[in-house]
Amino acid sequence: MTLNFKAPNSELIQPNILIVDDHPFIIEGYKNAITRYNPKEYDFIIAQAHDCKSAYDLLEDENTPQFEIAFLDISMPAYEEKNLFSGEDLAKLILKKMPYCKIVLLTMYTELLKIKTIIRTINPNGLIIKNDLTFDELLFAFDKVMKSEKYYSQSVVKMLNQSPHNSIEIDEFDKQILFHLSKGTEVQEMPQYIPISLTEIEKRRTSLKELLKIKSGSDDDLVKEAKSKGLF
């Protein structure tokens, strides 16, 4: 966790920015772009973290100010003790603590379903596929978000314009089954947690494997594939 809060300059607007990424050179790239944005009007105050734990510690620090914008990598080292496994989980925590913070998520994921899930659950102000990212692209995205406009990078827009038949939809019971499988809960114990019968749970598990084309029949493979597609 690194705090780069600067001394106040009353002549400039000073938005607080949070950057969380486990690659230091990427953080430096973001900072370089941000600090070049309209320097005559803004003097950005930047805080950074490199994983879910350091980000959590920063957010829980009583000396941490409210953030106006948070740039979050989706894939980063987890903080299992606090159920923080990704930038998505951090985004939810930030929005709970700082509901007016603008969230910009960056990801290597290019699965349509994963992208749609991120938009549905987080509704970020910005969503950028890292392969789309250039210095100019980042400045353009930052400008849009600063103006309270949505920004989705070119690949995101292209995926969202694909046929809806390319996506997979499951209901809440299916998501609960996947969640408990991921936690190692035995199928026979799931009716304690999910209000449907054991027969229905087993039927749904089989259907999920067929839907996701899990040829091995392994629950571990099912969970891995479902996570990769953002199903839970």
Side-chain angles (χ1 to χ4, degrees), residues 170-187 190-191 193-209 219 222-223 226 232:
I170 63 175
D171 66 18
E172 193 60 36
F173 289 145
D174 289 334
K175 291 178 184 178
Q176 290 181 43
I177 290 169
L178 290 168
F179 172 78
H180 285 289
L181 286 174
S182 73
K183 295 298 182 183
T185 306
E186 296 292 337
V187 174
M190 288 188 188
Y193 311 103
I194 307 171
I196 55 178
S197 69
L198 177 59
T199 301
E200 179 64 16
I201 288 171
E202 290 177 331
K203 186 185 300 183
R204 283 171 173 267
R205 181 178 61 160
T206 300
S207 295
L208 284 167
K209 288 179 180 178
D219 287 340
L222 172 60
V223 168
F232 75 107

Side-chain angles (χ1 to χ4, degrees), residues 105-163:
L105 293 172
L106 301 105
T107 182
M108 291 297 295
Y109 286 112
T110 55
E111 286 273 359
L112 173 61
L113 182 60
K114 179 66 176 179
I115 295 302
K116 290 178 70 175
T117 300
I118 292 168
I119 292 171
R120 185 179 69 250
T121 58
I122 308 297
N123 190 25
N125 301 83
L127 180 56
I128 302 171
I129 304 296
K130 284 193 171 183
N131 287 339
D132 294 339
L133 198 58
T134 64
F135 187 83
D136 289 339
E137 183 85 2
L138 182 57
L139 271 175
F140 183 65
F142 190 67
D143 180 63
K144 287 280 191 180
V145 173
M146 284 292 292
K147 294 174 179 175
S148 297
E149 299 176 21
K150 292 274 188 181
Y151 179 79
Y152 296 158
S153 71
Q154 182 178 354
S155 294
V156 175
V157 173
K158 184 177 179 180
M159 281 186 280
L160 293 176
N161 287 335
Q162 290 178 17
S163 166

Side-chain angles (χ1 to χ4, degrees), residues 70-85:
F71 286 85
L72 310 173
D73 188 7
I74 286 181
S75 299
M76 69 179 77
Y79 186 21
E80 295 188 16
E81 292 86 343
K82 297 297 181 180
N83 292 317
L84 297 172
F85 297 96

Side-chain angles (χ1 to χ4, degrees), residues 18-31:
L18 172 64
I19 304 172
V20 187
D21 197 296
D22 57 341
H23 296 95
F25 66 92
I26 291 181
I27 290 180
E28 290 306 311
Y30 296 157
K31 288 166 64 177

Side-chain angles (χ1 to χ4, degrees), residues 4-18 31-47 65-69 142 146:
N4 290 327
F5 301 134
K6 296 179 283 186
N9 182 338
S10 59
E11 297 178 358
L12 301 175
I13 301 171
Q14 295 187 299
N16 294 306
I17 309 292
L18 172 64
K31 288 166 64 177
N32 191 28
I34 290 168
T35 53
R36 291 192 188 186
Y37 177 80
N38 203 347
K40 294 182 179 180
E41 184 176 352
Y42 294 97
D43 184 25
F44 295 99
I45 300 172
I46 299 173
Q66 293 280 309
F67 292 112
E68 278 73 33
I69 301 177
F142 190 67
M146 284 292 292

